Amino acid sequence: MPATVVVGGFFGDEGKGKIVSYLALNDNPKIVVRGGAGPNAGHTVRDGDKVYKIRMLPSGFLNKNAKVLIGPGVVVNPEVFLKEINEFEASGRAFLDRHCGIIEESHLILDSKGELKEKIGSTGSGTGPANAERAMRTLKLGKDIPSLSNYIVDVPSLIDTALKNNENVLVEGTQGTFLSLWHGTYPFVTSKDVTASGICADIGLGPTNVNEVIIVFKSYVTRVGSGPLENELKPEEIIKKGWSEFGTVTGRPRRASEFNFELARRAIMLNSATQIAITKLDVRFPECKGKTSYNELSDEAKLFIKKIEDDLGVPVTIIGTGPEINEIIDRRK
Ligand code: IMP
Ligand code: MG
């Protein structure tokens, strides 16, 4: 901190939600702000026996002292936004920018059929068609919607004020580097750039005000929907390794491969990452489950972390060892 950006290093679903909720609770940010595409994102946050599936609000909502904001580059589904405020008790501290684009019924219909659904495997959330309409300059904005009038703010100004007061700002990316419209596996990508620069543009934070970029890699690679996945494992191999996962938004089974160092190197470059967070270490190395200090890790797990640091030239500062927020090793301390 003060301005820390968290982004996904592979194809989304790296476990950013858990990392962001940990940082939101531990680093005392005054603002947690979301960039990225829209409600196509899905984060799972586990707090004790409560499991939150979140699509629209920032995953940092568990910190009740922080404002949770959605930047102007993100398209918002008002129904999902208002439902999550209610469900996650975020009333009075959750806001969206007046320039957020608005997803309407027509976008949901367009996203649920044809090329987007069948070829690209889109999430059907209306995000892509709404962003296309924004480019056509015909999309409605947040400030045009009466049901949102109590939630409209100027997000870039709030961020600027917080940084001038020396307060921490936590910036939450969604999706992952190789789903970027510019840098990903086009056309099998989402409808926005979702690298660190794109996320910062979404919220109105200029590059010289970014202090840290934390890139999140899962201990293996997964991909949901269509598009290339190098060295993709067969479904039975995924099950055998215990790497089976299902999409938060769509419930589709996720495809999987081994940790891909070549992709990771490129992701580090594209995001100018200064730190790495590794998630689900316990899924690869079950003996590491719930560990909170690096010394407690098995030799094999330490070797894996060391290889990542040596190969990518960036320190692994945070390691997830289970789904709970506090099942984490924080080497920044
Ligand atoms: P869309 O963003 O809904 O148009 O979907 C385009 C592609 O990106 C599809 O392959 C989706 O599965 C993928 N995608 C979009 N958002 C996410 C995400 O948050 N996690 C994982 N995959 C995503
Ligand atoms: Mg997800």
Side-chain angles (χ1 to χ4, degrees), residues 262-326:
E262 204 182 312
L263 279 185
R265 253 193 308 278
R266 189 162 178 86
I268 298 273
M269 172 186 86
L270 290 168
N271 292 283
S272 57
T274 58
Q275 302 178 39
I276 296 171
I278 297 290
T279 60
K280 299 215 177 186
L281 191 73
D282 58 301
V283 176
R284 270 199 89 125
F285 305 103
E287 72 282 3
C288 297
K289 166 89 174 110
K291 299 290 187 232
T292 53
S293 91
Y294 187 76
N295 292 334
E296 294 173 316
L297 295 182
S298 61
D299 289 344
E300 216 190 343
K302 280 185 191 149
L303 212 64
F304 177 64
I305 299 292
K306 175 115 185 9
K307 177 161 164 50
I308 289 173
E309 290 189 317
D310 290 348
D311 202 294
L312 305 180
V314 174
V316 173
T317 52
I318 299 175
I319 302 169
T321 56
E324 286 277 340
I325 292 172
N326 289 323

Side-chain angles (χ1 to χ4, degrees), residues 12-13 41-43 248 254:
D13 307 316
H43 297 298
T248 309
R254 291 181 184 150

Side-chain angles (χ1 to χ4, degrees), residues 215-258:
I215 193 161
V216 184
F217 295 122
K218 192 151 57 183
S219 297
Y220 44 95
V221 180
T222 60
R223 172 160 208 169
V224 61
S226 327
L229 179 62
E230 223 185 303
N231 300 321
E232 181 169 357
L233 296 167
K234 296 198 180 72
E236 58 270 23
E237 292 172 311
I238 298 175
I239 294 168
K240 201 165 153 215
K241 284 180 180 285
W243 294 358
S244 303
E245 296 181 8
F246 297 89
T248 309
V249 175
T250 56
R252 292 178 291 190
R254 291 181 184 150
R255 303 153 63 200
S257 79
E258 257 296 340

